[in-house]
Amino acid sequence: MNDVICTVDTVLLTLGDDGLSVALLKREREPYKGVAALPGGYIHTDKDLDGYGAALRVLKTKTGIDVPYLEQLAAFTGAARDPRGWSVSLAYYALVPHAVIAAAGHPGVKLVGVDRLHTLPFDHAAIVAAAVQRLRGKTQYSSLPCFLVGELFTLPQLQRVYEALMGEPLNKVSFRRKMAELDVLEAAEGQMDASSPSRPAQLYRLRPEFRDRLGLLKRGL
């Protein structure tokens, strides 16, 4: 009996010039050598305590990025998804601000808009689609988009992130009421955004207890 191939694949999402974008890397070996794909790799049973740890390791090794938020998406399995044989991939997705990817400066990382993807190897297109669906669904009722906006941000900046993911404008008063209901933000004392066209705006950040987990609403935005 042939061994089952066990890997992790990670969907690293950010907001870039093309809107919601995913990070791709050219594969260094066959199959599909030289083709852009999701950052992925084998699970190392001697090093990785679990799939989560494997995904963190793969992302750090291949992109140089420590992600603040990582969530398991699904298991993708079957005999047809990998030409090397029957395989299991534990898929995860992570969100990072665009500035974090730029600061990492990895020359091989290419950001592509999720609505502009060409053919991807394996079943990576299906994995990206599942991650985007999960993100847009959770945007309706959670603090997940906060991981795309940066460490410090104004409420208008955060609202624009939610609007970009939901594809529709949000009422300012209603949005702020929902953010207060989530109770995941704290004002950065004494820190203001002086670039506001009218007057300096208060800067906010995630409260420490929500920097690696989500806040949830009982009713959506």
Side-chain angles (χ1 to χ4, degrees):
M1 180 180 293
N2 294 329
D3 292 334
V4 173
I5 299 167
C6 295
T7 62
V8 290
D9 288 301
T10 53
V11 184
L12 185 60
L13 295 168
T14 192
L15 280 176
D17 295 337
D18 289 332
L20 185 62
S21 301
V22 61
L24 302 177
L25 287 168
K26 287 187 178 180
R27 287 182 53 80
E28 297 179 349
R29 57 180 60 91
E30 298 292 352
Y32 308 111
K33 183 177 180 180
V35 177
L38 295 174
Y42 290 107
I43 294 172
H44 294 173
T45 57
D46 59 334
K47 297 179 181 178
D48 302 322
L49 295 178
D50 50 27
Y52 184 89
L56 285 176
R57 174 184 55 78
V58 166
L59 267 181
K60 178 64 175 179
T61 301
K62 296 201 170 184
T63 70
I65 296 171
D66 291 308
V67 293
Y69 182 82
L70 182 74
E71 181 179 319
Q72 185 170 344
L73 181 64
F76 291 78
T77 68
R81 63 176 306 273
D82 191 321
R84 293 169 292 187
W86 215 102
S87 68
V88 174
S89 175
L90 301 179
Y92 290 78
Y93 74 104
L95 283 76
V96 293
H98 186 273
V100 171
I101 295 178
H106 193 293
V109 173
K110 179 182 179 182
L111 295 178
V112 181
V114 296
D115 297 322
R116 297 175 175 82
L117 287 174
H118 298 293
T119 302
L120 296 178
F122 307 106
D123 51 2
H124 287 188
I127 295 175
V128 173
V132 171
Q133 183 180 31
R134 175 78 62 84
L135 169 59
R136 287 178 169 159
K138 283 196 169 184
T139 295
Q140 302 278 346
Y141 62 87
S142 82
S143 60
L144 185 55
C146 294
F147 293 102
L148 288 171
V149 75
E151 183 178 356
L152 293 172
F153 48 84
T154 66
L155 291 179
Q157 289 169 343
L158 181 60
Q159 182 172 337
R160 287 193 291 271
V161 169
Y162 272 83
E163 290 173 338
L165 297 177
M166 295 176 66
E168 60 183 6
L170 298 172
N171 177 271
K172 175 182 174 180
V173 174
S174 177
F175 175 77
R176 296 192 176 201
R177 183 172 64 248
K178 289 295 184 180
M179 287 300 103
E181 185 179 329
L182 269 173
D183 196 26
V184 299
L185 305 180
E186 65 180 11
E189 187 175 352
Q191 299 193 58
M192 310 292 285
D193 179 14
S195 65
S196 175
S198 54
R199 61 181 181 178
Q202 176 66 54
L203 288 168
Y204 291 84
R205 61 189 166 212
L206 281 171
R207 289 166 48 196
E209 60 267 37
F210 290 100
R211 290 175 189 168
D212 59 359
R213 66 185 181 91
L214 300 183
L216 304 175
L217 288 167
K218 293 182 179 179
R219 296 181 62 183
L221 291 172

